[in-house]
Amino acid sequence: MNNSVGNTARLIGAGLRALLVLTVICGVLYPLAVTGIAQALFNDKANGSEIKDKSGRVVGSSLIGQTYNLPKKDPNDPEEAAEPDLKWFQPRPSNGLGTNSVNTRYSLILSGATNRSADNGAVHGQCTKEAAEGTLCAQVIAAKEAVITDNSTPGHTVEPQDVPADAVTSSGSGLDPNISPEYAKLQIHRVAERNELDVKQVEKLVADHTTGRTLGFMGEPRVNVLELNTALKALTKS
């Protein structure tokens, strides 16, 4: 009997010692080591890839897209569609993913995809104006017309063939922070006019914030919309 109790006590003691050692190693030393290495070598990424304005205020993360819309006429009306504030460069569309009805204290962009097929609403295999309302084709057609209307200025008309795919379709997450250089260039004349800037100034702004392929061959050239708009805000105040 005494031997049984003694063995049990030794096993419990060994288990507790193992628990203590592993808690210290895995719960204290390892997190401290990883955090220390991340802060020392990848400080920006470890802290959320924050973007700061000219004053040093954090305005967002370079990893998460933002919308640039005018205030709603009735903030309590969930059916009222937000109108884009055309003085800013616009990101990829994120409507069609639903609206935030859970935590209404915050203006949130829902993450997710529509899960609609590329030919959803297509008529005879093509997206036309006859597409049924609410289908992907109808959304794309409406978005394309809006892009052409919004970005055409006196002396500069946007043609349908000039509209890139990312101007009328959302990404898989709906939170893509980047747009293509083609979509950024499409918006230059409108942004210049709305902010009373010279077109050459805005063209240089886009060129300065265009990032090439990673390592020269991975991915596509891109423009981070938040970084671009932060620089635009600084330019308009200078």
Side-chain angles (χ1 to χ4, degrees):
M1 181 67 179
N2 289 335
N3 287 338
S4 177
V5 172
N7 290 336
T8 301
R10 282 194 296 274
L11 289 172
I12 293 174
L16 290 174
R17 288 193 297 273
L19 175 63
L20 178 62
V21 170
L22 291 173
T23 298
V24 171
I25 293 174
C26 300
V28 180
L29 298 180
Y30 176 73
L32 285 176
V34 171
T35 301
I37 292 170
Q39 290 294 332
L41 302 179
F42 313 102
N43 181 266
D44 177 61
K45 292 180 174 61
N47 291 317
S49 300
E50 295 173 338
I51 295 178
K52 299 179 180 179
D53 62 15
K54 205 171 182 179
S55 67
R57 182 174 66 94
V58 175
V59 294
S61 168
S62 64
L63 304 176
I64 302 176
Q66 296 187 16
T67 55
Y68 299 86
N69 295 326
L70 295 168
K72 285 187 174 185
K73 296 177 182 177
D74 182 3
N76 298 318
D77 182 7
E79 300 300 322
E80 181 186 345
E83 295 292 330
D85 188 346
L86 298 179
K87 67 181 289 188
W88 304 108
F89 284 92
Q90 293 296 312
R92 297 184 68 167
S94 58
N95 59 340
L97 301 178
T99 55
N100 167 43
S101 59
V102 179
N103 191 342
T104 54
R105 285 182 58 198
Y106 302 99
S107 177
L108 305 177
I109 307 175
L110 298 189
S111 176
T114 62
N115 288 332
R116 295 189 175 117
S117 64
D119 61 351
N120 177 247
V123 178
H124 303 302
Q126 292 187 334
C127 284
T128 66
K129 292 183 178 181
E130 286 72 39
E133 186 178 354
T135 62
L136 183 62
C137 280
Q139 290 180 4
V140 169
I141 294 295
K144 191 169 187 177
E145 291 176 348
V147 167
I148 293 171
T149 302
D150 290 344
N151 291 284
S152 292
T153 61
H156 176 77
T157 302
V158 175
E159 300 296 337
Q161 61 268 24
D162 297 332
V163 180
D166 62 315
V168 297
T169 57
S170 64
S171 63
S173 68
L175 303 176
D176 195 338
N178 303 316
I179 57 176
S180 65
E182 291 74 23
Y183 187 26
K185 291 173 184 176
L186 183 75
Q187 303 181 61
I188 286 175
H189 285 81
R190 183 251 300 159
V191 170
E193 181 191 54
R194 297 284 175 137
N195 290 281
E196 299 180 350
L197 295 171
D198 185 78
V199 171
K200 295 292 183 184
Q201 286 180 288
V202 184
E203 285 179 343
K204 184 177 185 304
L205 204 65
V206 170
D208 290 345
H209 288 82
T210 298
T211 304
R213 290 179 172 86
T214 303
L215 299 179
F217 68 94
M218 291 192 295
E220 294 294 331
R222 58 201 178 276
V223 179
N224 187 285
V225 181
L226 178 56
E227 292 178 354
L228 181 59
N229 279 334
T230 302
L232 173 63
K233 185 177 182 179
L235 181 62
T236 56
K237 288 187 174 181
S238 62

